[in-house]
Amino acid sequence: MSLLNDVSSPRFKTGPGAARLTGAGLLILLGAFALIGPAVIPVDPSAQDFGASLAPIGGDYVLGADHYGRSLLARLAHGARLSFGMAFLTMLAAAIPGVLLGLLAARKGGWAERGLELVATVVLALPGLMLVLLLLAFSPGNYGPLFLGLALTLWVEFYRVTKATTKTVLAQPHIEAARMLGFGSSYILTRYVLPVIAPMIATLAAFAMASAIIAVSTLSAISVGLQPPTPELGSMIVELLPYYSEAPVHVLLPAGLIFLLVLGLQLLAQGERA
Amino acid sequence: MRNFLLARLLQAGIVAIVVGALCFVLMRVLPGDAAMRIAAGRYGPDARIAEAAEKVRLELGLDRPIATQFLEWLGNLLRLDFGHSLVTGGTVVHELQVQLGASVWLAAAALLLSLVIGPIIGLFSGLRPGGVADRMGLIGAVTFRAIPPFVLGLILMLVFSKQLGWLPPAGFGSPREILLPALTLALGLAAMSSRVTRNAVAAVARAPYFAFARYKGLPEAVVVRRHGLRNAAIPVISYLGLQAIYLIEGVVVVESLFAYPGIGHALVHAIVERDIPMVQGTALVMGLMFVAISAFVDLLSLWLDPRQRRPA
């Protein structure tokens, strides 16, 4: 019953509030930069030019250059694309199995549900980052384990929310009526269940992408994630940090980009709720 | 109470088996011969690897059936034998003892600091929802949640060590050195707990018993202290239990950033150096620490709210 109340509470019903619109606007801008940027900016993000080492902002290089003289604008665009792309793929890899398994558990119950519950409990018993670190320990610097580890920890949330909500929806009288009228499972699923869970899944998806962006940049920053020269925002910060006193803005650029990405996703996800 | 302890023990058992099994499977599933990899890790890539690998294979019994090896590994685990670090040669248990102590101090300091920062901001926000304090608190919370912990740590380092020169940027030994890493962790935790506190306080402030305390003429401070704090603390404490994950993950990040000699630092080093026994041992200890922190927080909330002690 309490879950049902949750569903109908204003938190999932509020229309696009100011926070939500700000978040969406921010993400559209950043998304355009990440998608179009690498195509429009004709500079190789790993092309070095030692003559332009730590070039200031506004000269030959629009956003300056790093210690190897690599264009920061190009690196930021590629870094944003990488973060966005990884986060999006991770979210999909977590959401699709999570939602499907949740629907399965809610529909079938019994052994299927108990088995899935056990797996979910086991994953929850471990901190997510540790799972990722364990996978990375055996094959460092690769996209594969990073991606797999993140998806492995994030699917549980999708599974649990889908399962709980679907169960309450399926227990309602109008579903029973629909079933008695002879409508099949797929009709009930698309007409009655999906409209209820979709907004919640969207919220979870935005949070999952924010977590993925933070996790990837953090792991690269502590040098167990993606390795330089990959233009990854987290490792860019750490690479540029020794030059902070000469070029403070250069360090702040990738940090600010991560901040805006995560902020946009969180604003979009929580809207009025924050 | 007994059920509570049993459930926690079960959780600890699951963590141990999952971490162990995962390491074990990964060792064997990944491309390359395990003995080769260990030999390369021990003697460096220039050694005569094939011979060394044979020696390793015999020494560790890698040629026996996998099931036997796994059971043996579990047996060793029960006797608290994690083996030796491939890098330093010392026993993993000894290395972990030293580092665990440091990490526990850091986690405790961070929890304490966050309990000072978050709930106080939340209290002032929640007493006047929609007021200036509430809005400032909201902006602060959203900002700190959007800054990745490692960036927050770097900012604190730049401000307090480099610009102001008040605190050392790295190291271990005195309370001054624990302050910056603990503060990094605490600010992240406080960003979340301040909002939970705010909602809890706002709910308590709307409650009839709170209004009654005001009607009977108690001064505001007394109303808040006697009727507000304890009731509002319960959701905050149980929320902190969920944040045990944040603390454990934060320990990894913050320790490597500040070169603080704890478990998280050790794990990252072990990963970079492919020191598999150390990775196994550290991951296991971190998993158990996670169980311990959430158990501690649950106990705290039982102590605060006697109603929960009654069997449901």
Side-chain angles (χ1 to χ4, degrees), chain A residues 118 121-122 124-140 207 213-214 217-219 221-224 233-235 237-238 241-242 244-245 251-252 255 258-260 262-264 266-267 270 273-274, chain B residues 11 14-15 18-19 22-24 26-27 30 37 138 142-151 154-155 157-158 162-163 195 245 248-250 252-253 256-257 267-268 271-272 274 276 279-280 282-284 286-287 290-291:
Chain A
L118 184 71
T121 316
V122 166
L124 280 185
L126 290 169
L129 190 69
M130 225 179 64
L131 211 61
V132 180
L133 283 171
L134 269 181
L135 287 170
L136 275 173
F138 292 88
S139 137
F207 275 128
I213 287 176
I214 289 190
S217 63
T218 302
L219 288 170
I222 58 176
S223 72
V224 287
L233 297 175
S235 62
I237 299 176
V238 175
L241 195 68
Y244 175 75
S245 40
V251 188
L252 295 178
I258 300 179
F259 172 72
L260 290 178
V262 178
L263 185 70
Q266 282 188 347
L267 288 177
Q270 48 195 19
R273 184 152 58 105
Chain B
Q11 200 190 349
I14 291 177
V15 166
V18 171
V19 171
L22 206 65
C23 291
F24 195 84
L26 284 173
M27 275 286 278
L30 279 160
R37 291 171 71 101
L138 176 62
V142 171
T143 310
F144 279 110
R145 281 185 66 174
I147 299 181
F150 78 97
V151 175
L154 288 175
I155 293 174
M157 230 189 253
L158 289 174
K162 209 150 183 250
Q163 307 283 347
R195 291 326 280 172
I245 300 176
I248 291 293
E249 295 184 345
V252 175
V253 175
S256 346
L257 199 64
L267 182 60
V268 171
I271 287 173
V272 172
R274 315 278 176 92
I276 300 298
V279 171
Q280 287 183 339
T282 335
L284 189 65
M286 287 184 62
F290 167 70
V291 176

Side-chain angles (χ1 to χ4, degrees), chain B residues 35-53 273-274:
Chain B
M36 274 300 200
R37 291 171 71 101
I38 296 172
R42 270 194 203 174
Y43 309 113
D46 296 333
R48 291 159 71 188
I49 293 293
E51 279 172 38
E273 289 160 355
R274 315 278 176 92

Side-chain angles (χ1 to χ4, degrees), chain B residues 81-302:
Chain B
D81 178 6
F82 294 96
H84 294 258
S85 160
L86 298 182
V87 174
T88 64
T91 59
V92 172
V93 171
H94 174 75
E95 311 241 326
L96 288 181
Q97 274 170 352
V98 179
Q99 287 145 354
L100 180 63
S103 285
V104 168
W105 277 115
L106 177 60
L111 256 181
L112 226 90
L113 262 177
S114 87
L115 281 178
V116 173
I117 304 167
I120 287 181
I121 294 175
L123 179 66
F124 284 107
S125 309
L127 284 175
R128 301 224 186 305
V132 182
D134 192 18
R135 275 156 204 246
M136 298 291 281
L138 176 62
I139 293 173
V142 171
T143 310
F144 279 110
R145 281 185 66 174
I147 299 181
F150 78 97
V151 175
L152 189 60
L154 288 175
I155 293 174
L156 289 180
M157 230 189 253
L158 289 174
V159 173
F160 287 105
S161 304
K162 209 150 183 250
Q163 307 283 347
L164 298 171
W166 288 352
L167 293 163
F172 174 69
S174 72
R176 275 160 54 82
E177 272 140 359
I178 211 172
L179 205 55
L180 275 188
L183 189 65
T184 310
L185 273 172
L187 284 176
L189 281 172
M192 295 178 263
S193 66
S194 71
R195 291 326 280 172
V196 179
T197 312
R198 179 247 178 221
N199 291 341
V201 170
V204 167
R206 277 196 308 270
Y209 60 79
F210 202 78
F212 179 67
R214 272 191 183 145
Y215 292 150
K216 69 182 178 189
L218 287 179
E220 188 73 13
V222 178
V223 175
V224 170
R225 205 172 61 235
R226 285 220 197 124
H227 298 273
L229 289 184
R230 198 176 178 122
N231 285 306
I234 292 156
V236 179
I237 296 288
S238 50
Y239 185 76
L240 275 178
L242 291 177
Q243 290 313 307
I245 300 176
Y246 183 91
L247 203 59
I248 291 293
E249 295 184 345
V251 156
V252 175
V253 175
V254 163
E255 283 182 357
S256 346
L257 199 64
F258 288 92
Y260 182 90
I263 289 281
H265 190 62
L267 182 60
V268 171
H269 258 263
I271 287 173
V272 172
E273 289 160 355
R274 315 278 176 92
D275 192 346
I276 300 298
M278 273 302 282
V279 171
Q280 287 183 339
T282 335
L284 189 65
V285 169
M286 287 184 62
L288 295 180
M289 204 169 133
F290 167 70
V291 176
I293 290 176
S294 56
F296 170 74
V297 170
D298 285 356
L299 277 177
L300 205 64
S301 90
L302 277 179

Side-chain angles (χ1 to χ4, degrees), chain A residues 59-140:
Chain A
D60 289 342
Y61 294 89
V62 184
L63 287 180
D66 70 1
H67 48 298
Y68 292 123
R70 296 175 293 196
S71 158
L72 266 181
L73 181 65
R75 285 181 73 72
L76 285 174
H78 279 89
R81 174 186 267 188
L82 181 73
S83 286
F84 244 131
M86 280 286 284
F88 191 70
L89 281 179
T90 308
M91 183 272 287
L92 282 185
I96 293 171
V99 170
L100 289 179
L101 290 174
L103 288 174
L104 180 82
R107 178 82 183 77
K108 291 258 185 252
W111 281 109
E113 188 185 352
R114 257 174 272 173
L116 284 169
E117 261 328 277
L118 184 71
V119 178
T121 316
V122 166
V123 176
L124 280 185
L126 290 169
L129 190 69
M130 225 179 64
L131 211 61
V132 180
L133 283 171
L134 269 181
L135 287 170
L136 275 173
F138 292 88
S139 137

